[in-house]
Amino acid sequence: MAQLIVATAAAAVGFAIGGPQGAQIGFTLGSALAAPTQKSQGPRLSDLKVSGTEYGQTIPYCEGAVRTAGQIVWASERREIATTTEQGGKGGGAESTTYTYEVDLLYLLTDNEIIGVRRIWNNGKLVWTADAGATHDSLDASENSELWTRLTVYNGDVAQLPDPTYEASVTTAKAVAYRGRGSVFIESLQLGNSGRIGNFKFEVIS
């Protein structure tokens, strides 16, 4: 109804300026201006919580170079990121909103102190390397990975402190430093629109 009123008013203005032809142009422009924006939304997750490791899961003692999946001992809730795009069109525009997700994760890797992590795979694909034999491009891509905003390896030394993001979330009184154990903290891991956490494997050096 509102669209018809605006179009009629624009036609009247057009007629006053340019006669019948002006009325036709005014009606067309008025209809386009008053046309409602068509909005659409992509799929969303209804549950943003992440399932962590259950009590009783094995934490391996590693010597040498060992590939391990580790255990998720803490996870933030998934954070939803909405991205809206607009497209203009004759007779009204279109607005589309899609949703992606990110999460913070703390992986416990070993039941002993480690030297570091050399490589990381996600769903079988190498996504990070600190291998001395890796190419410059691979090392640079790992340093500036778009898969997360921060990756920190904790070797488990006696002076180790809890990861600051994890500590801020659970409070200092409840944050575990995991001294004597190797761990990795991943901040803002990008999960795409599925919200699923990939199958990570870590090559630990100890």
Side-chain angles (χ1 to χ4, degrees):
M1 184 67 181
Q3 182 180 2
L4 180 59
I5 293 172
V6 173
T8 302
V13 173
F15 183 83
I17 297 174
Q21 185 176 3
Q24 184 178 3
I25 294 172
F27 187 87
T28 302
L29 292 176
S31 297
L33 289 172
T37 300
Q38 301 297 318
K39 297 183 179 182
S40 63
Q41 290 188 337
R44 309 175 67 175
L45 297 181
S46 57
D47 185 5
L48 299 179
K49 292 183 179 179
V50 175
S51 298
T53 300
E54 296 180 359
Y55 288 107
Q57 294 292 318
T58 301
I59 306 297
Y61 185 100
C62 298
E63 292 186 352
V66 179
R67 189 185 297 194
T68 177
Q71 303 291 346
I72 297 175
V73 290
W74 177 83
S76 68
E77 288 194 353
R78 296 179 182 91
R79 295 183 292 272
E80 186 178 77
I81 303 170
T83 303
T84 300
T85 56
E86 296 182 359
Q87 291 182 334
K90 198 171 183 179
E95 185 178 280
S96 175
T97 302
T98 56
Y99 300 92
T100 57
Y101 299 87
E102 65 180 21
V103 70
D104 303 329
L105 299 171
L106 177 58
Y107 281 89
L108 185 58
L109 303 181
T110 66
D111 198 25
N112 58 297
E113 190 172 337
I114 64 175
I115 295 172
V117 172
R118 183 159 60 189
R119 291 181 291 182
I120 300 173
W121 292 264
N122 182 19
N123 295 329
K125 179 183 178 182
L126 182 66
V127 294
W128 185 88
T129 181
D131 189 357
T135 65
H136 174 76
D137 288 345
S138 295
L139 293 171
D140 185 63
S142 299
E143 183 70 23
N144 300 290
S145 175
E146 295 183 355
L147 190 57
W148 48 65
T149 59
R150 176 173 67 90
L151 181 140
T152 304
V153 176
Y154 292 98
N155 63 10
D157 64 52
V158 295
Q160 183 168 287
L161 297 175
D163 183 88
T165 300
Y166 158 63
E167 184 177 15
S169 180
V170 303
T171 73
T172 300
K174 296 180 180 179
V176 181
Y178 292 105
R179 292 169 183 152
R181 292 179 169 186
S183 59
V184 165
F185 189 87
I186 302 176
E187 186 171 340
S188 298
L189 174 65
Q190 301 302 301
L191 305 177
N193 56 16
S194 72
R196 289 193 295 269
I197 298 170
N199 180 23
F200 279 89
K201 292 290 180 69
F202 305 86
E203 186 180 32
V204 174
I205 309 298
S206 67

